[in-house]
């Protein structure tokens, strides 16, 4: 049985220090770049930043490597392998150049030249390995195995000391595999978690049927706009829209066809409102539109246009049948119909009730005759 000596423990400690640095800095990287994760389709700016950060990480690893006179053993190749895997050619090339410069700044000698040739070979070959049509984890294993083989050849050339080789290489191979796998897993896990978080965040504010804002998002936006209107003294109009006799559509054609009608109405509302208007489905067949910086005259024009478009629109059901329908719209405006912003919703709702009660398929304005 092989017993590790003091030198072996020191080598393990230094390489595990490299592993700890990689793990810590990769975690920080995934947190700070969660909105702009590196991929082959990333912008040039994102790729440049990733390459620079990878180069900095590799240079940090060199400072905490194992030193044998002029020779430095560390895990500087791992960031380059990960950059190749996620970012394509540009980021690892940038990191490679920074590593070469950093190594020569430590010392210009045969070991530095050999290690820079090694990192050049690793960077170029990892780019080609990334393009191979094999599973993702297999690419990581192949990349690390290839870099370890090249490292072993260069280390033998530089030392020719079998005692050092037998003590160092097994430790180096094991820890480099660990570093590569942990780095790959951390990035992959962080990205999946961030994507799920974004998905749930979007789904919590979006109506799944129509793709419009839901009532939670409506409340959030309304409160925000209310504060802005008070400060900037701008106008704010609100439309309440309800489909006339929607229950009859569900009872006659079924709920699936009713859902198709709701989706088509959502499309019409988006199409015939302004870019900055906030369109929401507040529940059932009830929709709202918040019109920012919009006076009552313009709001009435937009509402009447929507009412007219809906009336003349051919709603095609899933079974191919075409039906017609109408909407009733209630309208309130701060501060032309409503001086208290907290009553804007109630006033629009009252105006909608008036439109329903007075015959439907019409636009009614709060407090108007």
């Amino acid at each position: 049985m092989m017993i590790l000596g003091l030198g072996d423990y020191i080598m393990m400690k230094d390489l595990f220090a490299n592993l700890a640095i990689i793990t810590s800095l990769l975690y920080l990287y995934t947190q700070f770049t969660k909105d702009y994760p590196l991929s082959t389709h990333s912008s040039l700016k994102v790729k440049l930043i990733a390459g620079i950060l990878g180069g900095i990480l590799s240079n940090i690893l060199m400072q905490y490597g194992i030193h044998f006179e002029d020779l430095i053993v560390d895990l500087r190749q791992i960031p380059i392998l990960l950059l190749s895997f996620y970012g394509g050619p540009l980021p690892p090339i940038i990191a490679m150049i920074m590593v070469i410069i950093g190594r020569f700044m430590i010392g210009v000698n045969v070991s530095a030249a050999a290690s820079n040739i090694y990192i050049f070979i690793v960077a170029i070959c990892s780019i080609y390995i990334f393009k191979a049509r094999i599973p993702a984890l297999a690419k990581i294993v192949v990349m690390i195995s290839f870099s370890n083989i090249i490292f072993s050849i260069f280390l033998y050339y530089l030392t020719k000391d079998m005692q050092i080789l037998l003590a160092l290489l097994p430790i180096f191979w094991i820890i480099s595999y660990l570093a590569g796998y942990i780095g790959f897993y951390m990035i992959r896990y962080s990205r999946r978690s961030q994507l799920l978080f974004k998905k749930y965040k979007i789904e919590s504010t979006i109506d799944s049927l129509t793709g419009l804002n839901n009532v939670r998002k409506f409340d959030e936006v309304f409160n925000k706009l209310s504060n802005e209107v008070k400060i900037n003294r701008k106008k704010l109009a609100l439309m309440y829209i309800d489909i006339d006799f929607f229950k009859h559509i569900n009872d006659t054609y079924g709920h699936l066809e009713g859902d198709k009608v709701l989706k088509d109405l959502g499309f019409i509302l988006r199409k015939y409102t302004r870019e900055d208007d906030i369109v929401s489905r507040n529940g059932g067949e009830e929709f709202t539109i918040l019109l920012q910086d919009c006076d009552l005259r313009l709001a009435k024009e937009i509402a009447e246009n929507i009412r007219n478009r809906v009336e003349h629109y051919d709603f095609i059901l899933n079974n191919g049948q075409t039906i017609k329908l109408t909407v009733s719209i209630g309208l309130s405006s701060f501060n032309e119909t409503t001086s208290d912003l907290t009553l804007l919703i109630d006033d629009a709702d009252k105006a909608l009730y008036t439109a329903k009660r007075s015959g439907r398929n019409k636009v009614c304005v709060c407090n108007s005759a």
Side-chain angles (χ1 to χ4, degrees):
M1 185 175 71
M2 185 179 72
I3 300 176
L4 293 175
L6 179 61
D8 298 322
Y9 283 115
I10 293 173
M11 286 188 288
M12 288 183 66
K13 177 181 71 69
D14 290 336
L15 287 176
F16 269 111
N18 267 221
L19 178 59
I21 291 169
I22 290 174
T23 304
S24 302
L25 294 184
L26 279 179
Y27 174 78
L28 292 175
Y29 171 79
T30 57
Q31 297 307 303
F32 285 118
T33 61
K34 58 185 176 183
D35 294 327
Y36 305 97
L38 178 64
S39 72
T40 54
H41 303 295
S42 296
S43 66
L44 178 62
K45 180 181 178 181
V46 171
K47 290 183 178 181
L48 287 172
I49 292 173
I52 291 169
L53 291 176
I56 292 172
L57 174 54
S58 292
N59 275 281
I60 291 173
L61 295 174
M62 279 193 283
Q63 302 301 319
Y64 292 89
I66 303 169
H67 291 251
F68 295 108
E69 297 180 353
D70 294 332
L71 181 64
I72 303 174
V73 178
D74 52 68
L75 300 176
R76 76 192 80 165
Q77 77 280 7
I78 298 298
I80 292 175
L81 297 179
L82 293 173
L83 287 171
S84 299
F85 181 83
Y86 285 104
L90 183 59
I93 289 174
I94 294 171
M96 175 196 71
I97 293 170
M98 292 181 65
V99 170
I100 290 172
I101 294 171
R103 183 61 183 89
F104 277 135
M105 288 179 67
I106 294 175
V108 179
N109 46 51
V110 174
S111 294
S115 65
N116 283 338
I117 293 172
Y118 159 70
I119 211 68
F120 174 82
I121 293 172
V122 168
I124 299 302
C125 292
S126 66
I127 293 169
Y128 283 98
I129 293 171
F130 164 74
K131 295 179 180 179
R133 295 182 178 180
I134 55 177
L137 185 57
K139 287 181 183 179
I140 294 294
V141 173
V142 171
M143 285 179 179
I144 298 172
S145 299
F146 175 79
S147 68
N148 286 351
I149 291 169
I150 300 300
F151 171 80
S152 302
I153 294 170
F154 272 79
L155 186 64
Y156 175 77
Y157 169 77
L158 292 172
T159 64
K160 292 188 173 66
D161 188 327
M162 292 306 297
Q163 187 175 357
I164 292 177
L165 292 173
L166 291 174
L168 176 60
L169 286 180
I171 298 171
F172 180 85
W173 275 64
I174 292 170
I175 296 180
S176 63
Y177 277 121
L178 275 175
Y181 178 76
I182 291 173
F184 171 73
Y185 178 80
M186 279 187 62
I187 295 173
R188 191 176 187 183
Y189 177 80
S190 295
R191 287 189 173 186
R192 285 183 175 179
S193 300
Q194 290 158 4
L195 285 173
L196 284 173
F197 177 76
K198 287 180 180 179
K199 180 184 176 183
Y200 294 147
K201 187 177 180 181
I202 291 171
E203 288 177 350
S204 70
T205 59
I206 297 297
D207 175 59
S208 59
L209 179 63
T210 62
L212 302 176
N213 297 309
N214 62 16
V215 66
R216 180 184 297 177
K217 186 65 174 180
F218 168 81
D219 291 336
E220 178 187 324
V221 173
F222 180 76
N223 292 331
K224 178 183 176 183
L225 290 179
S226 297
N227 292 329
E228 292 178 359
V229 165
K230 290 176 184 177
I231 296 172
N232 301 323
R233 298 183 179 277
K234 290 184 177 181
K235 297 181 183 299
L236 179 65
L238 173 62
M239 260 186 253
Y240 250 81
I241 303 166
D242 190 85
I243 301 174
D244 298 327
F245 304 111
F246 184 69
K247 185 177 183 300
H248 175 72
I249 295 172
N250 277 335
D251 291 343
T252 304
Y253 303 103
H255 288 279
L256 288 178
E257 303 294 3
D259 288 347
K260 178 68 165 55
V261 168
L262 292 171
K263 289 171 67 176
D264 287 352
L265 179 59
F267 167 77
I268 294 172
L269 297 182
R270 281 195 300 265
K271 185 175 181 179
Y272 295 107
T273 49
R274 303 171 305 168
E275 185 177 350
D276 293 333
D277 294 336
I278 311 300
V279 185
S280 307
R281 181 187 175 205
N282 289 48
E285 67 271 27
E286 193 173 84
F287 297 79
T288 57
I289 302 175
L290 280 165
L291 302 105
Q292 303 181 63
D293 198 18
C294 180
D295 61 24
L296 183 60
R297 180 194 59 79
L298 178 57
K300 286 173 67 176
E301 288 181 6
I302 295 172
E304 190 58 45
N305 183 48
I306 288 173
R307 186 204 62 76
N308 183 60
R309 296 284 183 177
V310 172
E311 183 181 12
H312 293 92
Y313 186 83
D314 292 326
F315 288 84
I316 302 174
L317 304 181
N318 293 310
N319 61 13
Q321 185 177 351
T322 299
I323 64 170
K324 294 284 189 179
L325 59 86
T326 60
V327 294
S328 298
I329 302 176
L331 183 61
S332 61
S333 172
F334 176 80
N335 49 14
E336 295 177 83
T337 69
T338 307
S339 57
D340 186 350
L341 264 173
T342 61
L343 298 177
L344 194 67
I345 295 175
D346 287 340
D347 285 350
D349 191 42
K350 290 175 183 177
L352 173 62
Y353 178 73
T354 301
K356 289 282 191 183
R357 188 178 56 183
S358 60
R360 294 182 171 84
N361 189 26
K362 59 174 61 178
V363 176
C364 285
V365 179
C366 174
N367 293 334
S368 64

